PDB file of all heavy atoms in Angstrom:
ATOM      1  N   ARG Q  22      -1.910   5.983 -18.385  1.00 98.00           N
ATOM      2  CA  ARG Q  22      -1.991   6.737 -19.638  1.00 98.00           C
ATOM      3  C   ARG Q  22      -1.109   7.988 -19.604  1.00 98.00           C
ATOM      4  O   ARG Q  22      -0.581   8.410 -20.634  1.00 98.00           O
ATOM      5  CB  ARG Q  22      -3.452   7.078 -19.951  1.00 98.00           C
ATOM      6  CG  ARG Q  22      -4.259   5.812 -20.291  1.00 98.00           C
ATOM      7  CD  ARG Q  22      -5.730   6.057 -20.480  1.00 98.00           C
ATOM      8  NE  ARG Q  22      -6.441   4.786 -20.573  1.00 98.00           N
ATOM      9  CZ  ARG Q  22      -6.613   4.100 -21.689  1.00 98.00           C
ATOM     10  NH1 ARG Q  22      -6.140   4.576 -22.844  1.00 98.00           N
ATOM     11  NH2 ARG Q  22      -7.260   2.944 -21.682  1.00 98.00           N
ATOM     12  N   GLU Q  23      -0.932   8.549 -18.407  1.00 98.00           N
ATOM     13  CA  GLU Q  23      -0.008   9.677 -18.280  1.00 98.00           C
ATOM     14  C   GLU Q  23       1.443   9.205 -18.341  1.00 98.00           C
ATOM     15  O   GLU Q  23       2.303   9.872 -18.915  1.00 98.00           O
ATOM     16  CB  GLU Q  23      -0.260  10.438 -16.979  1.00 98.00           C
ATOM     17  CG  GLU Q  23      -1.450  11.360 -17.029  1.00 98.00           C
ATOM     18  CD  GLU Q  23      -1.341  12.384 -18.155  1.00 98.00           C
ATOM     19  OE1 GLU Q  23      -0.358  13.148 -18.181  1.00 98.00           O
ATOM     20  OE2 GLU Q  23      -2.249  12.422 -19.006  1.00 98.00           O
ATOM     21  N   VAL Q  24       1.718   8.056 -17.739  1.00 98.00           N
ATOM     22  CA  VAL Q  24       3.055   7.459 -17.847  1.00 98.00           C
ATOM     23  C   VAL Q  24       3.374   7.204 -19.325  1.00 98.00           C
ATOM     24  O   VAL Q  24       4.476   7.490 -19.800  1.00 98.00           O
ATOM     25  CB  VAL Q  24       3.141   6.146 -17.037  1.00 98.00           C
ATOM     26  CG1 VAL Q  24       4.476   5.441 -17.287  1.00 98.00           C
ATOM     27  CG2 VAL Q  24       2.969   6.421 -15.548  1.00 98.00           C
ATOM     28  N   LEU Q  25       2.394   6.706 -20.049  1.00 98.00           N
ATOM     29  CA  LEU Q  25       2.558   6.455 -21.482  1.00 98.00           C
ATOM     30  C   LEU Q  25       2.866   7.752 -22.225  1.00 98.00           C
ATOM     31  O   LEU Q  25       3.776   7.789 -23.074  1.00 98.00           O
ATOM     32  CB  LEU Q  25       1.290   5.825 -22.048  1.00 98.00           C
ATOM     33  CG  LEU Q  25       1.243   5.633 -23.572  1.00 98.00           C
ATOM     34  CD1 LEU Q  25       2.183   4.505 -24.005  1.00 98.00           C
ATOM     35  CD2 LEU Q  25      -0.182   5.348 -24.045  1.00 98.00           C
ATOM     36  N   ARG Q  26       2.123   8.811 -21.927  1.00 98.00           N
ATOM     37  CA  ARG Q  26       2.356  10.095 -22.600  1.00 98.00           C
ATOM     38  C   ARG Q  26       3.770  10.608 -22.336  1.00 98.00           C
ATOM     39  O   ARG Q  26       4.440  11.131 -23.224  1.00 98.00           O
ATOM     40  CB  ARG Q  26       1.328  11.132 -22.138  1.00 98.00           C
ATOM     41  CG  ARG Q  26      -0.048  10.960 -22.721  1.00 98.00           C
ATOM     42  CD  ARG Q  26      -0.913  12.209 -22.684  1.00 98.00           C
ATOM     43  NE  ARG Q  26      -0.662  13.121 -21.580  1.00 98.00           N
ATOM     44  CZ  ARG Q  26      -0.130  14.330 -21.718  1.00 98.00           C
ATOM     45  NH1 ARG Q  26       0.218  14.781 -22.905  1.00 98.00           N
ATOM     46  NH2 ARG Q  26       0.044  15.105 -20.656  1.00 98.00           N
ATOM     47  N   GLY Q  27       4.209  10.447 -21.100  1.00 98.00           N
ATOM     48  CA  GLY Q  27       5.549  10.891 -20.753  1.00 98.00           C
ATOM     49  C   GLY Q  27       6.622  10.110 -21.478  1.00 98.00           C
ATOM     50  O   GLY Q  27       7.569  10.694 -22.040  1.00 98.00           O
ATOM     51  N   ALA Q  28       6.481   8.791 -21.505  1.00 98.00           N
ATOM     52  CA  ALA Q  28       7.467   7.956 -22.192  1.00 98.00           C
ATOM     53  C   ALA Q  28       7.472   8.239 -23.690  1.00 98.00           C
ATOM     54  O   ALA Q  28       8.530   8.286 -24.331  1.00 98.00           O
ATOM     55  CB  ALA Q  28       7.176   6.474 -21.928  1.00 98.00           C
ATOM     56  N   SER Q  29       6.297   8.455 -24.254  1.00 98.00           N
ATOM     57  CA  SER Q  29       6.175   8.708 -25.688  1.00 98.00           C
ATOM     58  C   SER Q  29       6.743  10.060 -26.092  1.00 98.00           C
ATOM     59  O   SER Q  29       7.006  10.300 -27.280  1.00 98.00           O
ATOM     60  CB  SER Q  29       4.703   8.624 -26.122  1.00 98.00           C
ATOM     61  OG  SER Q  29       4.168   7.334 -25.864  1.00 98.00           O
ATOM     62  N   ALA Q  30       6.926  10.948 -25.116  1.00 98.00           N
ATOM     63  CA  ALA Q  30       7.457  12.284 -25.405  1.00 98.00           C
ATOM     64  C   ALA Q  30       8.961  12.263 -25.673  1.00 98.00           C
ATOM     65  O   ALA Q  30       9.520  13.257 -26.132  1.00 98.00           O
ATOM     66  CB  ALA Q  30       7.158  13.226 -24.244  1.00 98.00           C
ATOM     67  N   VAL Q  31       9.601  11.132 -25.393  1.00 98.00           N
ATOM     68  CA  VAL Q  31      11.042  11.010 -25.607  1.00 98.00           C
ATOM     69  C   VAL Q  31      11.300  10.541 -27.038  1.00 98.00           C
ATOM     70  O   VAL Q  31      10.762   9.508 -27.467  1.00 98.00           O
ATOM     71  CB  VAL Q  31      11.670  10.024 -24.603  1.00 98.00           C
ATOM     72  CG1 VAL Q  31      13.173   9.883 -24.855  1.00 98.00           C
ATOM     73  CG2 VAL Q  31      11.407  10.487 -23.180  1.00 98.00           C
ATOM     74  N   GLU Q  32      12.084  11.280 -27.756  1.00 97.00           N
ATOM     75  CA  GLU Q  32      12.382  10.943 -29.150  1.00 97.00           C
ATOM     76  C   GLU Q  32      13.035   9.565 -29.255  1.00 97.00           C
ATOM     77  O   GLU Q  32      13.939   9.232 -28.484  1.00 97.00           O
ATOM     78  CB  GLU Q  32      13.312  11.992 -29.759  1.00 97.00           C
ATOM     79  CG  GLU Q  32      13.598  11.782 -31.244  1.00 97.00           C
ATOM     80  CD  GLU Q  32      14.518  12.842 -31.826  1.00 97.00           C
ATOM     81  OE1 GLU Q  32      14.940  13.751 -31.061  1.00 97.00           O
ATOM     82  OE2 GLU Q  32      14.821  12.772 -33.025  1.00 97.00           O
ATOM     83  N   GLY Q  33      12.533   8.776 -30.194  1.00 97.00           N
ATOM     84  CA  GLY Q  33      13.101   7.456 -30.420  1.00 97.00           C
ATOM     85  C   GLY Q  33      12.550   6.366 -29.517  1.00 97.00           C
ATOM     86  O   GLY Q  33      12.981   5.219 -29.580  1.00 97.00           O
ATOM     87  N   VAL Q  34      11.572   6.736 -28.671  1.00 98.00           N
ATOM     88  CA  VAL Q  34      10.969   5.769 -27.751  1.00 98.00           C
ATOM     89  C   VAL Q  34       9.575   5.376 -28.238  1.00 98.00           C
ATOM     90  O   VAL Q  34       8.771   6.233 -28.596  1.00 98.00           O
ATOM     91  CB  VAL Q  34      10.882   6.324 -26.316  1.00 98.00           C
ATOM     92  CG1 VAL Q  34      10.008   5.429 -25.431  1.00 98.00           C
ATOM     93  CG2 VAL Q  34      12.271   6.459 -25.717  1.00 98.00           C
TER      94      VAL Q  34
END
Side-chain angles (χ1 to χ4, degrees):
R22 292 174 190 273
E23 282 303 302
V24 173
L25 174 72
R26 284 201 330 112
S29 299
V31 179
E32 184 180 0
V34 169

